[in-house]
Every structure is written in C-alpha cells, then in structure tokens.
Amino acid sequence: MAVSKAAVDKRPMIERIRAAAIALFKARGYHGTPVRELAQAVHIETASLYYHFASKQEILFDLIAQTIEAMLDGVQLAIASESTPEGRLRVAVRFHVLYHIARQDEAFVSHSELRSLSRANYKRILVKRDRYEKFIRALLADGVRSGAFEIDDVPLTGTAILTMCSGVSDWFARRGRLTPAKVADHYANLVIRLVAAK
Amino acid sequence: MAVSKAAVDKRPMIERIRAAAIALFKARGYHGTPVRELAQAVHIETASLYYHFASKQEILFDLIAQTIEAMLDGVQLAIASESTPEGRLRVAVRFHVLYHIARQDEAFVSHSELRSLSRANYKRILVKRDRYEKFIRALLADGVRSGAFEIDDVPLTGTAILTMCSGVSDWFARRGRLTPAKVADHYANLVIRLVAAK
DNA sequence: GTCTATAACTAGATAGAC
DNA sequence: GTCTATCTAGTTATAGAC
C-alpha cells in the first residue's frame, strides 16, 4: 500500500541522525555535508537537529568516539579466550578486519574526518586511538618475547599492520568478491606470515 | 633586512597555487578550504585565481591527476633495471614508499579527496589508478609464475600491500624517528616476507 | 520534540577597470 | 595577470510559536 512506501524508522532520533551522518560524511565529507541535508535524511527540519546535538561538530565527535571505543572494547574481548601470542594476534586481526567491514562507513569517517575535528576534540580522540595502537603493539611485543615472532621494528610493523588492515574499509564495498570472513582469514594469514619466526 | 621577511616565491603562479592547494586540502580538506584562503596563501585576490583555473574543482583534478601519473611513470622507471621478480617488487615497494613520503601531502590528498571529484573527473582518475594497481598485481603474478613467490590470492594481496605502503603518507610526519630510506627498506622487507616462497 | 522564520555570515564565481 | 566590487546562493545556528 502507498502508505508504507517509506518504512518507519523506529530507532530514537538521535541514533537515526548518527546513522545518517555516517552515510553522508562518508559520501561527501564533513565539510561537504550541509546540516540541512542531514536533517532531510531523517525527515526533520534543520532547526530540530539542534534539539538533539549542540552543533555539527558534536555529531562528528560523538560518532568517531563511539567507533573507536567499540573497537577497543571488541578487540579486548576477542583475545580474552586465546592463550598464545599467535592465537591472540590472529583473533585481533580477524576482529579488526571484520569490524572495518561490518562498520565500514564509521571506520572510514573516523579516519578520514579526524582533521575536521576541533583542536580539543582531536586531542580527546588521539588519546583513545593511541590506546588501541599500544594494545596491538603489546601483542606483537609479547610474541617477540616468547620467541613466536621475529620482528625487526615493533612500532613500525604495528603501524604497517594496522594501516593494512584498516584499509579494508576503503575497498571492501568496491569488490565484494570475497565474504567478510574470508577476507578476515586471509588478512590474519598475511599478518602471521609477516611476524612469525621461521 | 626587513625587506625580505617573506622570501619571494619565483615559481610560476600556477605552480604556487597547486602547492598551496595541496597543503590546504590536506590540512582542512577540499570542502573545508575556501577559495579565498587559497588566494591569500599565494598573495593574490580570489578573482585572480580564476585567471589560472576555471574552478576549484579543476585545481583538485589537476593535482590528483599529476600525482598519480608521476607515480606510474616513476615505478615503471624504477623496475626497469631489475631482472628478477623479487628485485622488481623490492624496488617497486621502495619507490612507492619513498614517493608517499617525499610527496606525502599530494599522496594524502589524492586519496582522501577522491570523493570530492565530480563524477566525470572521478572516472578519469579511476582509469589511471587501475592502471597502477594492475601494474603491481602483474609484478606479483610474475613472481608466482617463476616460483619466487607463494601467494594465495594475488588481487587481495596486491591491495593489502598497496594500502599498507600508501599508509606511510598518513603517519610519516607524526613520527619522524626513521629516515625515508630506512622506512622504505623496512617496508620492502615486510612485503617480501609477505610473498616470498619458503 | 518539531516547526517556521530568519539572523549573521561565508561560499564559489563573474564583470569590468587597470 | 591582477585588481575592486559585487552577485547569487548557500552555510550554521538561533528565536520563539506550537
């Protein structure tokens, strides 16, 4: 029937705004997205947005903060059940890749729009991101200590691994040849190959 | 002396505009950079910009096109003197990494502002980028054929390598602990480790 | 919690003098 | 090749009614 042409979105308005912001910021960027379009996407007027968020900047900050926090929580949970450095690194990589596919748009925006954060907000996000990077580097260092890994330069290798794995949020949509699980397995194998002792 | 407080930039205005655009688009994004600021950066009025470029969009397109073309030319030249698949891949990676450090800002903008291109310009750039990706994949496929490399999925591994190596334009400025040459060597080693047959 | 109306400002681009 | 002046439109955000 004509009535239900557009399905009613039952989520709280604040979540619908977040979701719309993710899609629009990804497609056209933060500065490239007028607040008006954000409002249109959730079928309210521009002014009504300001009941939910103090500013456009606050929407961006909320979105990025949530994305990184969920990622750190997720990876910590993922490795908890593993008992070896290789096992922990493997599930961490799998989690990281799957997260960057499942929440591809958030991940993309959280990376590409860091520069659109205000100075103060940027600093708050960097703290969170550093925490995540240190966590991954610790996994590598553990493996080196136990003899499972052979790594010349742990910080550099850690960064290389993270940029490689985060990259999936860049290209996954373009070529959906492989399932997320297959891509994650593949990346886990690549990473192990990169660090494993002979 | 007070006269030469700001050194006179002797390059043609069109090049100075390009250089300023790279810096500003990197720092604040294409949509985040008003044409007025671009003009101020090269000490002319906004209107004068339009003598050199038809539009802001044309500046972005020119900049990205040049960056990718120079990269393809460069990598082809770099591998010409190598006679083995491993040698060719090694110098290709070294070149790619050094290019992404030496022309860090161009590389960053060329990647992050693809979405700010008009539809038509975007397509023209994709053609160039695909050419580059195919070139790298061919290097991998050659090595597999000769038995030098063992790669499960050449396109996926190619993409993983490229995103990893392009990533240096993201982080190199933040932590200048290593020289460009050291980083390039390190990445070449990582990539070889990723593909070499045992 | 959403609206209409609008303030206050900034955007990209052009006309035409020099 | 660069300028001053300006057009037209779009921007974020607010005031106050409902």
Side-chain angles (χ1 to χ4, degrees), chain A residues 37-185:
Chain A
E37 282 188 37
L38 201 46
Q40 272 169 14
V42 296
H43 306 105
I44 59 176
E45 291 303 313
T46 305
S48 308
L49 268 184
Y50 288 87
Y51 173 80
H52 300 281
F53 288 96
S55 65
K56 190 184 174 186
Q57 172 69 206
E58 194 189 282
I59 298 175
L60 180 65
F61 174 77
D62 261 38
L63 192 157
I64 296 180
Q66 261 201 9
T67 303
I68 298 187
E69 280 161 17
M71 198 166 69
L72 185 55
D73 291 350
V75 79
Q76 283 170 335
L77 200 70
I79 69 148
S81 55
E82 297 293 321
S83 52
T84 65
E86 178 173 332
R88 279 192 288 272
L89 183 59
R90 205 178 266 282
V91 298
V93 168
R94 275 187 56 87
F95 169 80
H96 187 95
V97 169
L98 288 174
Y99 188 86
H100 277 74
I101 292 175
R103 304 180 62 169
Q104 192 177 154
D105 294 355
E106 285 100 312
F108 180 88
V109 170
S110 296
H111 178 244
S112 63
E113 295 298 347
L114 281 177
R115 66 180 167 197
S116 300
L117 288 168
S118 69
R119 227 184 148 75
N121 283 343
Y122 181 66
K123 280 185 192 161
R124 290 161 71 191
I125 293 294
L126 274 202
V127 170
K128 295 178 199 291
R129 201 189 55 179
D130 283 354
R131 216 172 286 153
Y132 188 82
E133 288 190 0
K134 269 177 195 148
F135 184 83
I136 300 294
R137 277 207 294 274
L139 291 183
L140 298 181
D142 279 352
V144 171
R145 227 169 292 132
S146 79
F149 300 158
E150 256 173 50
I151 301 175
D152 279 351
D153 186 321
V154 167
L156 187 84
T157 304
T159 303
I161 289 171
L162 280 179
T163 50
M164 180 174 92
C165 295
S166 301
V168 297
S169 67
D170 245 48
W171 58 259
F172 186 79
R174 289 209 309 275
R175 11 184 162 150
R177 179 171 57 91
L178 298 170
T179 62
K182 285 264 181 202
V183 175
D185 285 340

Side-chain angles (χ1 to χ4, degrees), chain B residues 148-191:
Chain B
F149 300 158
E150 257 173 49
I151 301 175
D152 278 352
D153 185 322
V154 168
L156 188 83
T157 304
T159 303
I161 289 172
L162 280 179
T163 51
M164 181 175 90
C165 295
S166 302
V168 297
S169 66
D170 246 48
W171 60 259
F172 185 79
R174 287 209 311 274
R175 8 185 164 148
R177 180 170 56 90
L178 298 171
T179 62
K182 285 264 181 202
V183 174
D185 284 340
H186 221 107
Y187 269 74
N189 288 338
L190 287 176
V191 168

